[in-house]
């Protein structure tokens, strides 16, 4: 993402790519209690709240783009979201269940392919969609 942000002339190129898809970021609240608890668990120099703020700053630099959305997890859902990353693309998904005391990028990533109704892909997709629907728009 830094490459797109470093050159303001590239923003129109990002918009062209968003014309054919949508990109959604569901983030934890950087001020939330669950975020602080996860920071205590990870005990990392680059804290969860800092990583969230970096993401927000980079999204803000892109400006408003059709097809790009960001929400915070609803407070009551934060515990269901903080331990999971889901990147979904049509019929593929990359899912990272965050292991205890391990930063997300050090946890295993699962590559799921949709094989039929109600399988593991659909279960993670539905879970992420439910969290998204209850999320609070980032202003």
């Amino acid at each position: 993402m830094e490459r797109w942000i470093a050159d303001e002339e590239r923003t129109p190129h990002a918009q062209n790519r968003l014309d054919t898809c949508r990109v959604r970021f569901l983030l934890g609240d950087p001020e939330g209690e669950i975020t602080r608890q996860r920071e205590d668990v990870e005990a990392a120099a680059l804290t969860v709240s800092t990583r969230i703020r970096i993401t927000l700053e980079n999204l803000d630099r892109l400006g408003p783009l059709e097809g790009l959305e960001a929400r915070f997890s609803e407070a009551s859902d934060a515990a269901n979201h903080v331990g999971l990353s889901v990147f979904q693309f049509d019929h593929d998904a990359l899912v990272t269940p965050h292991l205890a005391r391990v930063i997300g990028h050090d946890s295993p990533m699962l590559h799921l392919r949709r094989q039929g109704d109600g399988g593991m892909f659909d279960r993670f997709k539905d879970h992420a969609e439910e969290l998204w629907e209850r999320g609070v728009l980032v202003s």
Side-chain angles (χ1 to χ4, degrees), residues 61-137:
R61 287 182 188 171
L62 286 172
L65 294 173
E66 187 71 29
L68 178 64
E69 301 174 76
R71 295 182 184 180
F72 290 123
S73 289
E74 205 280 325
S76 65
D77 284 332
N80 296 320
H81 173 229
V82 73
L84 182 68
S85 296
V86 178
F87 305 91
Q88 182 185 328
F89 319 88
D90 298 325
H91 298 289
D92 288 275
L94 302 174
V95 177
T96 301
H98 299 187
L99 302 178
R101 306 207 182 280
V102 176
I103 296 174
H105 66 260
D106 288 335
S107 293
M109 178 177 279
L110 311 171
H111 180 185
L112 305 177
R113 289 198 172 121
R114 189 166 194 280
Q115 301 294 317
D117 293 341
M120 193 176 296
F121 175 92
D122 282 352
R123 293 174 75 181
F124 278 107
K125 176 188 69 75
D126 293 346
H127 176 71
E129 190 63 34
E130 182 178 340
L131 294 175
W132 176 261
E133 290 301 320
R134 288 197 300 261
V136 178
L137 192 63

Side-chain angles (χ1 to χ4, degrees), residues 13-25:
H13 300 291
Q15 181 59 63
N16 289 341
R17 284 166 181 68
L18 288 171
D19 286 343
T20 60
C21 68
R22 67 181 176 167
V23 177
R24 303 186 309 179
F25 288 82

Side-chain angles (χ1 to χ4, degrees), residues 20-67:
T20 60
C21 68
R22 67 181 176 167
V23 177
R24 303 186 309 179
F25 288 82
L26 182 63
L27 305 166
D29 179 354
E31 302 298 325
E33 179 59 29
I34 297 297
T35 300
R36 280 190 289 284
Q37 289 174 11
R38 183 66 192 182
E39 289 175 343
D40 290 343
V41 167
E42 290 184 0
L46 188 58
T47 64
V48 175
S49 59
T50 299
R51 296 191 310 260
I52 293 168
R53 286 187 183 94
I54 289 169
T55 300
L56 292 169
E57 180 181 323
N58 286 327
L59 290 172
D60 190 52
R61 287 182 188 171
L62 286 172
L65 294 173
E66 187 71 29

